[in-house]
């Protein structure tokens, strides 16, 4: 029996996602790159199967049954399938579109997401979380429902207010300035990893660059896109494209791979000149320092280090070599490779809260690989990955420090 003719997609967004889904030629090259396929062995939990399901939904050939939605929700949106795909399928775009139509976030989730784009409110909320941590009230979370317990367990330690101050709007270059760059401070980064942001500025200044931080910059919108809230994601990206429009900037430097991926896709997502300029000029910190940081000098160190590639840096920004080449400039530092270093660690935004079992299974596989390296330090450039690795390492009582590349390099500045 012949299948019914596909119904045409109803909107431009559906149409873009639909066209992207048609690029898949079902070759299956992506299948073995997919973490959820490696863990389950199911066709509907790999990229090819998911594209088939999403296309069937767009054509009206199937309904969003609970099983189908569960298979789509299990996707980490790590985009490992994109970087190997010979047909250039924009998997992330198809999945974001599917989530925007299938997901109906509750009030608390919408409020949490909205916080990310409101800097002052986010910092006030962080202050409250810190209070519960300092007074140990957070430990009462174990009496609450499982979801709240997980949230509390994954909540990072919030540093004191004195360590969460915003970056200065201008930091001069050390010595004669070679140019001017902007740094993207981020939302989660500015609360939990403000020290990494300070190290980022320090490295850029030591490399001879004036550093600016525009006050109008906001959250990059990556978590909103991951969650299917495309309107908020695009609105935040639009604000950032204006905030970083100063033509004198040599680069817009990011130190969080999720934010970098959002900026790398701004031209395509926004379809504006400002969005394209944001895409063209944004660079990961390690790439910028590798190409422009010849003035940096590092002291010698006796340290065994391994590197785990954040998915969005590796598969979306496609920056695969700069972190390794930059670390290789440190005298005495010994890099050891880790198996499956470009496989997702299971953090994936807030995936570790939404899909705790799959997240933990993937992390367990990665921890085995880490143990086999014998490294003393694991370097990775994304806040979610750092927290995920630290939680797994603490649970296994391993003696491995997890550091952002900016932290390690700033510590070793001569
Ligand atoms: S590699 Fe690309 S074309 Fe091949 S099955 Fe995967 S998504 Fe489709
Ligand atoms: S984005 Fe990652 S988890 Fe999702 S289908 Fe692609 S490889 Fe699998």
């Amino acid at each position: 029996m012949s299948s019914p003719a596909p119904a045409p997609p109803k909107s431009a967004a559906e149409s873009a996602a639909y066209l992207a889904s048609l690029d898949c030629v079902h070759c299956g090259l992506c299948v073995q790159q997919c973490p959820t396929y490696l863990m389950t062995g199911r066709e509907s939990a790999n990229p090819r199967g998911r594209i088939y399901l999403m296309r069937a939904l767009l054509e009206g050939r199937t309904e969003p049954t609970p099983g189908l939605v569960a298979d789509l929700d299990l996707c980490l949106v790590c985009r490992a399938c994109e970087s190997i795909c010979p047909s250039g399928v924009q998997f992330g775009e198809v999945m974001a579109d599917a989530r925007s139509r299938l997901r109906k976030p509750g009030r608390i989730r919408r409020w949490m997401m909205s916080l990310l784009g409101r800097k002052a409110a986010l910092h006030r909320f962080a202050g409250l979380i810190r209070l519960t941590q300092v007074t140990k009230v957070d430990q009462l979370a174990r009496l609450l429902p499982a979801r709240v317990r997980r949230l509390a367990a994954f909540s990072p330690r919030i540093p004191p207010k004195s360590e969460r101050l915003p970056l200065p709007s201008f930091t001069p270059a050390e010595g004669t300035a070679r140019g001017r760059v902007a740094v993207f401070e981020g939302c989660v980064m500015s609360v939990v990893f403000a020290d990494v942001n300070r190290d980022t500025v320090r490295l850029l200044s030591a490399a001879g660059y004036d550093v600016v931080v525009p006050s109008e910059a906001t959250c990059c919108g990556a978590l909103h896109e991951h969650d299917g809230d495309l309107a908020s994601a695009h609105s935040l990206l639009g604000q950032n494209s204006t905030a970083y429009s100063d033509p004198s900037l040599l680069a817009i430097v990011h130190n969080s791979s999720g934010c970098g991926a959002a900026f790398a896709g701004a031209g395509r997502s926004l379809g504006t000149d400002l969005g394209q300029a944001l895409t063209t000029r944004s660079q990961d910190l390690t790439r910028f320092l590798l190409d422009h940081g010849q003035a940096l000098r590092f002291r010698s160190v006796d340290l065994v280090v391994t590197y785990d590639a954040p998915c969005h840096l590796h598969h979306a920004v496609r920056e695969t070599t700069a972190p390794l080449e930059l670390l290789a400039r440190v005298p005495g530092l010994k890099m050891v490779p880790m198996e499956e270093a470009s496989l997702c660690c299971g953090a994936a935004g807030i995936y570790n809260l939404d899909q705790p079992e799959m997240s933990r299974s993937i992390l367990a596989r990665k921890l085995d690989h880490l143990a086999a390296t014998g490294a003393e330090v694991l370097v990775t450039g994304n806040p979610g990955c750092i927290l995920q690795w630290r939680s797994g390492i603490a649970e296994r009582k391993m003696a491995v420090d997890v550091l952002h590349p900016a932290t390690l390099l700033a510590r070793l500045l001569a």
Side-chain angles (χ1 to χ4, degrees):
M1 204 169 75
S2 62
S3 50
K10 294 183 189 63
S11 71
E14 282 182 5
S15 178
Y18 182 66
L19 291 176
S21 76
L22 295 181
D23 288 337
C24 177
V25 295
H26 317 298
C27 67
L29 274 177
C30 55
V31 169
Q32 291 295 335
Q33 310 299 317
C34 175
T36 56
Y37 179 76
L38 294 178
M39 305 310 294
T40 66
R42 284 191 291 110
E43 176 68 14
S44 58
N46 78 35
R48 180 176 58 187
R50 289 186 174 122
I51 290 168
Y52 183 85
L53 293 174
M54 291 187 283
R55 184 175 157 188
L57 277 173
L58 286 169
E59 290 174 347
R61 287 189 286 112
T62 189
E63 292 294 313
T65 60
L68 184 152
V69 173
D71 278 330
L72 298 187
D73 280 347
L74 201 62
C75 173
L76 298 132
V77 202
C78 67
R79 296 171 66 178
C81 43
E82 271 185 34
S83 63
I84 194 152
C85 178
S87 298
V89 173
Q90 296 290 315
F91 182 91
E93 195 172 317
V94 186
M95 182 56 82
D97 175 72
R99 287 189 173 171
S100 74
R101 283 172 296 105
L102 295 174
R103 284 196 170 176
K104 293 181 181 55
R107 256 187 324 139
I108 293 181
R109 194 170 177 113
R110 275 188 277 129
W111 178 77
M112 294 287 288
M113 284 293 177
S114 78
L115 261 189
L116 301 177
R118 294 182 287 134
K119 224 180 276 182
L122 178 65
H123 278 262
R124 277 198 299 276
F125 183 66
L128 270 180
I129 299 281
R130 175 163 170 83
L131 190 63
T132 66
Q133 292 173 342
V134 170
T135 55
K136 301 202 185 314
V137 171
D138 60 332
Q139 292 178 9
L140 294 177
R142 62 173 179 262
L143 306 174
L144 297 172
R147 206 174 162 74
V148 183
R149 282 204 307 273
R150 282 204 300 275
L151 187 61
F154 270 104
S155 273
R157 297 302 298 175
I158 306 291
K161 194 172 181 182
S162 58
E163 292 173 27
R164 295 186 258 125
L165 297 175
L167 289 174
S169 58
F170 178 76
T171 305
E174 284 179 20
T176 310
R178 294 159 189 246
R180 182 179 156 92
V181 297
V183 159
F184 181 64
E185 201 169 13
C187 55
V188 177
M189 286 295 291
S190 72
V191 172
V192 184
F193 291 106
D195 57 330
V196 173
N197 281 343
R198 288 193 293 274
D199 288 336
T200 298
V201 171
R202 193 172 154 223
L203 286 162
L204 290 165
S205 168
Y209 293 87
D210 288 336
V211 183
V212 296
V213 180
S215 59
E216 315 79 39
T218 182
C219 164
C220 69
L223 284 173
H224 303 79
E225 179 172 334
H226 195 102
D227 216 31
D229 181 1
L230 297 182
S232 300
H234 293 172
S235 160
L236 293 165
L237 259 187
Q239 280 182 58
N240 282 318
S241 70
T242 306
Y244 290 103
S245 57
D246 176 353
S248 74
L249 295 173
L250 183 59
I252 298 145
V253 177
H254 49 79
N255 57 13
S256 160
S257 72
C259 312
F263 287 179
R268 192 177 165 98
S269 302
L270 298 177
T272 61
D273 289 345
L274 283 181
Q276 189 51 49
L278 184 58
T279 293
T280 308
R281 292 192 299 164
S282 67
Q283 275 192 348
D284 184 67
L285 172 70
T286 56
R287 168 53 60 190
F288 186 83
L289 293 179
L290 188 70
D291 293 346
H292 301 278
Q294 288 78 6
L296 292 176
R297 295 284 173 268
F298 301 105
R299 61 187 167 78
S300 182
V301 69
D302 181 14
L303 198 62
V304 182
V305 175
T306 196
Y307 173 69
D308 188 55
C311 297
H312 284 94
L313 186 61
H314 196 90
H315 301 297
V317 177
R318 307 276 167 100
E319 182 52 78
T320 58
T321 56
L324 294 163
E325 289 179 40
L326 190 61
L327 289 168
R329 283 194 188 168
V330 177
L333 187 146
K334 184 175 176 223
M335 290 298 298
V336 287
M338 181 167 64
E339 202 180 325
E340 294 188 332
S342 61
L343 189 84
C344 181
C345 64
I350 51 172
Y351 185 92
N352 46 13
L353 298 176
D354 288 338
Q355 304 283 347
E357 282 173 23
M358 178 58 77
S359 173
R360 286 171 67 89
S361 307
I362 296 171
L363 180 60
R365 181 180 177 117
K366 300 276 294 185
L367 286 164
D368 291 344
H369 293 328
L370 173 62
T373 65
E376 303 160 85
V377 172
L378 178 140
V379 168
T380 190
N382 191 56
C385 307
I386 293 174
L387 296 173
Q388 172 88 340
W389 275 109
R390 283 181 182 166
S391 79
I393 284 169
E395 212 164 281
R396 280 207 192 178
K397 299 187 174 30
M398 293 165 73
V400 183
D401 215 356
V402 184
L403 299 177
H404 191 284
T407 309
L408 181 58
L409 292 170
R411 278 183 195 172
L412 297 175
L413 271 178

